[in-house]
Amino acid sequence: MATTKWTIDQTHSEIGFKVKHMMFTNVSGKFLNYDANIITEGDDFTNSTIEFSADIDSVDTRNADRDNHLKSADFFDAENHPKMTFKASSFTKANDDNYEIAGDLTLRGVTKFVKLPAEFSGLMTDPWGNTKAGFIINGKINRKDWGLNWNSAMEAGGVLVGEEVKLEIELQFVKQ
């Protein structure tokens, strides 16, 4: 069977995250500049090759001061580590529309193996004849596993920034 290349449709995708702020509300953010490709056997996404990268300088939380702090050495250290990357080692089907994507996530020069649940939204042909594939990834990682350790103790107890990062990723790919 021939291989098929799928490229990210950035106008219909979003790489988002949420982190607890002051231990009771979430701050949301996203990466605005990223790239992703999938190589499959035909239209079967199991055992596909998946590569993703995001520009750390494109982090956007709707607050310039916070974004600059995230880019600093306290967090992502964008000057020395300008990209976040993910390379999948497996994409396995759990049941009808649910998969598990596993691979190496690199942040701040640290690479860790992660497993994330992924939902396959299906295949669709758009009005211009392009075949599209949709995926939703909602997982969790601990930011400290990648050396993003900065925090500030609060006077009333607790910390300013949560350790758990919720990933909220919506992806649309175009068959090439």
Side-chain angles (χ1 to χ4, degrees):
M1 184 174 283
T3 60
T4 303
K5 182 175 182 179
W6 301 79
T7 57
I8 192 81
D9 178 348
Q10 290 187 6
T11 60
H12 298 106
S13 298
E14 186 171 286
I15 311 302
F17 61 89
K18 287 185 177 184
V19 178
K20 285 283 187 204
H21 179 256
M22 295 178 37
M23 302 183 60
F24 75 111
T25 61
N26 286 306
V27 169
S28 297
K30 58 186 170 181
F31 290 92
L32 302 176
N33 298 325
Y34 51 87
D35 192 27
N37 293 293
I38 301 177
I39 305 293
T40 62
E41 292 293 328
D43 291 343
D44 181 7
F45 288 89
T46 56
N47 301 315
S48 57
T49 302
I50 303 168
E51 293 187 1
F52 166 83
S53 67
D55 296 334
I56 296 299
D57 272 337
S58 75
V59 69
D60 179 18
T61 64
R62 299 180 322 271
N63 180 291
D65 290 338
R66 180 173 45 230
D67 295 346
N68 288 332
H69 192 202
L70 288 172
K71 295 173 195 177
S72 78
D74 283 345
F75 287 97
F76 290 118
D77 193 11
E79 184 175 332
N80 294 305
H81 307 285
K83 296 257 187 213
M84 167 177 55
T85 63
F86 177 77
K87 185 170 183 170
S89 55
S90 69
F91 189 74
T92 54
K93 192 169 191 171
N95 56 43
D96 291 340
D97 297 327
N98 296 303
Y99 290 75
E100 179 182 77
I101 186 169
D104 291 328
L105 176 63
T106 302
L107 283 165
R108 199 182 160 113
V110 176
T111 301
K112 296 281 184 181
F113 182 77
V114 297
K115 291 181 179 180
L116 301 169
E119 178 184 334
F120 178 54
S121 302
L123 294 173
M124 183 75 59
T125 302
D126 71 14
W128 300 274
N130 300 301
T131 301
K132 304 268 188 116
F135 296 92
I136 300 169
I137 300 171
N138 290 311
K140 296 176 186 178
I141 61 172
N142 186 317
R143 66 185 179 90
K144 288 190 168 190
D145 291 344
W146 285 269
L148 284 85
N149 297 319
W150 184 90
N151 222 330
S152 180
M154 295 180 3
E155 198 171 299
V159 292
L160 189 62
V161 183
E163 292 179 16
E164 182 180 87
V165 178
K166 294 179 183 176
L167 305 175
E168 297 181 342
I169 302 169
E170 300 265 349
L171 302 171
Q172 194 173 115
F173 287 88
V174 182
K175 186 177 189 177
Q176 300 301 295

